[in-house]
Amino acid sequence: MAKQDSKFKDPYKNSQGLKKLWNYFLDLLDKDNFQLDIKKIRQKYKIDIKSSKQSIDSNHKPFSDDMTKIASKYGLDVSTWWTSLEPYILNNKIIEPMDTDLCIISDNINDPDLSVESIECYPISIRISPYASKRDILDYVSRFFPFILHSQQDYKDEKFKIGKFKSKKESIQKRNNFIYENRHLPMKEIMKLLGSKFGSEMIIDCGYIGKIISLEKK
């Protein structure tokens, strides 16, 4: 991941998405069905929440599978909510996650569901939760733009000049196209033709006409 700008030292801190997810988790703790599921896991693994030394190997597959199931059941990503679910199940500790949001930056390079063409044109994506609002999405992009920018640099190809040319007003572009189409004529002749076709406000000097021809040629 990109080196963090000091301004973005902790991009998750107080993010809109994290706030929403944390409030949702706190609300879950008061729900009977959630507590019943937690109780079943504690009974299954003989967990004594009063024991400060209680621990379970996170690589223990049955426990890992049960954690994944409970996270999925309540719409949580186990990879980021493990650090909150595990201490709550083991010791009744309520710990806020450090790196979760309603959006996530994703590298598409190894996505088997995308065509090679799609990956080449859009190698980076932002996955968005169906519960993310416009404000949540804009907040996420703002916070993580340094990382997005860094990822973009990894995939840019110098032969493509997308975004490097300033857009022109339609009338200006028509004038430039006209100049380029008549580039075989003497500069002074092009000046006269500009006045008759576009009006006196579009007349420019010979030096500028030459510059436009050079730029349009590129």
Side-chain angles (χ1 to χ4, degrees), residues 3-148:
K3 185 178 179 181
Q4 294 183 6
D5 185 285
S6 58
K7 182 180 177 182
F8 294 86
K9 200 166 187 178
D10 185 2
Y12 288 103
K13 188 175 182 180
N14 297 320
S15 74
Q16 294 298 317
L18 178 55
K19 286 177 186 176
K20 279 189 176 181
L21 285 166
W22 181 235
N23 288 335
Y24 168 68
F25 182 71
L26 293 177
D27 186 60
L28 275 182
L29 299 182
D30 292 329
K31 302 297 183 184
D32 292 340
N33 56 338
F34 181 79
Q35 287 299 331
L36 181 60
D37 287 333
I38 296 295
K39 183 178 180 180
K40 288 178 180 177
I41 291 180
R42 286 171 175 167
Q43 290 175 338
K44 180 177 180 178
Y45 297 99
K46 298 181 174 58
I47 295 171
D48 179 9
I49 60 174
K50 295 179 181 179
S51 172
S52 60
K53 296 182 180 180
Q54 182 72 57
S55 65
I56 291 181
D57 183 0
S58 60
N59 293 318
H60 183 52
K61 193 172 187 310
F63 181 70
S64 177
D65 288 345
D66 285 335
M67 287 276 283
T68 300
K69 286 176 184 176
I70 195 170
S72 178
K73 181 177 179 178
Y74 293 98
L76 300 173
D77 177 10
V78 71
S79 65
T80 53
W81 281 91
W82 185 286
T83 54
S84 295
L85 285 170
E86 186 181 43
Y88 185 74
I89 291 171
L90 299 181
N91 305 106
N92 232 32
K93 290 182 179 179
I94 300 175
I95 299 175
E96 185 175 3
M98 301 298 292
D99 56 354
T100 190
D101 205 288
L102 288 171
C103 303
I104 185 171
I105 299 171
S106 176
D107 192 322
N108 296 331
I109 200 69
N110 295 314
D111 192 329
D113 296 324
L114 295 177
S115 67
V116 173
E117 292 77 15
S118 291
I119 291 173
E120 287 179 349
C121 292
Y122 304 100
I124 308 153
S125 64
I126 298 178
R127 299 182 185 272
I128 300 172
S129 163
Y131 307 102
S133 67
K134 178 180 178 180
R135 185 182 179 191
D136 299 330
I137 297 168
L138 293 176
D139 178 63
Y140 183 86
V141 172
S142 175
R143 289 168 176 272
F144 281 85
F145 193 71
F147 306 113
I148 296 170

Side-chain angles (χ1 to χ4, degrees), residues 163-174:
K164 292 193 175 181
F165 298 104
K166 294 181 180 179
S167 60
K168 303 181 181 74
K169 289 183 179 179
E170 187 177 357
S171 59
I172 299 294
Q173 188 59 60
K174 284 183 178 180

